[in-house]
Amino acid sequence: MIATVAEIPSTNAALLARLGGGELLNEGDWLVADRQTAGRGRAGRSWFDGFGNFMGSTVVQLRGADPLPQTLALVTGLAAHQAVMALAPRLSDLRLKWPNDLLVGEAKLAGILLERHANAVVVGIGVNLAQAPDVPDRKTASLSGLGYAIARDAFATELADRFADALARWHLGEWPLLREQWLARALPTGTLVSVKDRDQGTIIGAFGGIDEDGVALMRLADGSVRAIHAGDIEMVGSHASGG
């Protein structure tokens, strides 16, 4: 079921509040907003509320035999990629960027935010269908701007179906295959990327894919491979303004 609201502070916050109040939320149910007044991205960033874009959240109930919860962000990205390509099949250069973004070229098209409450995970997704935010230090894109007029409700239905399929496979232990499908749609290995390290500052290296646990790998100039457990990997040069 897809429930829509005209305006809400945050679809993620609304579902977290319902979980916190003891409500049992079913997998497959979505809350989708026309506008968000206090949407959130990773690391506390504000989330653009452009009318006509997709802004929605759903819930995953964790089970004892599930893969590591951290892999859910990648499975969600895979489902979002599949939904976009189903409705914009001629779109070129759509790539997944670890851990939670969809890029067209170097421009951000979509983002994902996962927040956990006990044994449930709220999965929030935002996709620039109609409008792209004007962000001073980041390139952004919208499907409308790329020549694809996709109605929000049509996208919501497609995404819900793709996510339900990917989630069912994840619950059934198909993470290794989902991982391979994610890698096939990700930034190519060898892409020059950077990550901000709390102790060492900005580290630059070549993207080396992800390991069996969904952890990003970066090959450094000295040939060593560094595991990236947290933070945002960025394509070197992708923060130039414009676009």
Side-chain angles (χ1 to χ4, degrees), residues 5 8-9 28 37 54-55 61 70 75 82 108 110 119 125 143 147 155 164 172 176 181 185 187 195 202 204 229 239:
V5 293
I8 197 171
T37 58
F54 176 85
M55 294 160 281
Q61 300 290 345
Q70 67 196 35
V75 173
Q82 292 171 331
K108 182 172 178 175
N119 286 324
I125 305 175
L143 287 175
F155 183 82
L172 288 170
Q181 293 177 334
R185 294 162 175 81
L187 295 177
V195 67
T202 299
I204 296 177
H229 294 272
H239 277 233

Side-chain angles (χ1 to χ4, degrees), residues 13-168:
L15 294 189
L16 285 168
R18 289 165 63 180
L19 288 169
E23 186 174 345
L24 178 62
L25 301 180
N26 297 319
E27 290 186 350
D29 288 350
W30 286 78
L31 178 62
V32 176
D34 295 341
R35 286 188 182 278
Q36 289 190 137
T37 58
R40 306 192 307 279
R42 275 172 53 86
R45 302 183 187 102
S46 60
W47 191 262
F48 181 61
D49 74 337
F51 187 78
N53 289 346
F54 176 85
M55 294 160 281
S57 302
T58 189
V59 170
V60 174
Q61 300 290 345
L62 299 178
R63 306 171 188 172
D66 284 338
L68 290 174
Q70 67 196 35
T71 62
L72 264 176
L74 306 178
V75 173
T76 303
L78 174 62
H81 188 290
Q82 292 171 331
V84 171
M85 292 307 302
L87 297 173
R90 296 184 303 279
L91 183 64
S92 62
D93 206 18
L94 179 67
R95 294 288 183 178
L96 292 162
K97 179 175 75 68
W98 188 94
N100 65 342
D101 289 346
L102 270 71
L103 305 180
V104 178
E106 295 181 353
K108 182 172 178 175
L109 179 72
I112 296 161
L113 176 66
L114 272 63
E115 297 179 282
R116 184 166 177 173
H117 176 84
N119 286 324
V121 177
V122 175
V123 177
I125 305 175
V127 183
N128 299 332
L129 300 177
Q131 305 178 51
D134 184 11
V135 182
D137 64 347
R138 185 181 297 270
K139 295 180 180 180
T140 59
S142 70
L143 287 175
S144 176
L146 295 167
Y148 296 92
I150 298 174
R152 195 277 311 276
D153 290 350
F155 183 82
T157 299
E158 186 68 36
L159 177 62
D161 288 345
R162 298 284 178 167
F163 184 75
D165 177 69
L167 180 60

